[in-house]
Amino acid sequence: MSVTKILLKGVVRGKTIELDQELGLPDGEEVSVAVQPLLPPGEGIRQSAGAWADAGPELDNWLEEMQRSRQQDRSELC
């Protein structure tokens, strides 16, 4: 019996992995799956941050100031 390994990329959606192409195996075929993320931990969220990805402490300070400002605005409404 010959065993062929196929390397494919996909996206995790809950308990399902959506592959970027067909496997060529019949429905119901049992398979073994080894999962290896393509990006190092945290890299996906860093990339999704866009221009803010490398902002550093100044972004943290700005976000904290915005949060304080919003809380002050809410207290004035009461």
Side-chain angles (χ1 to χ4, degrees), residues 2-13:
S2 173
V3 177
T4 302
K5 291 184 181 182
I6 303 170
L7 180 61
L8 298 172
K9 292 189 334 185
V11 177
V12 175
R13 303 197 189 288

Side-chain angles (χ1 to χ4, degrees), residues 2 4 6-9 11 14 16 23 25-26 29 33-34 44 47 52 57 63-64 67 76:
S2 173
T4 302
I6 303 170
L7 180 61
L8 298 172
K9 292 189 334 185
V11 177
T16 301
L23 281 174
L25 298 172
E29 181 79 20
V33 178
Q47 287 183 8
W52 287 2
L63 290 171
E64 288 172 8
Q67 182 67 23
E76 292 172 3

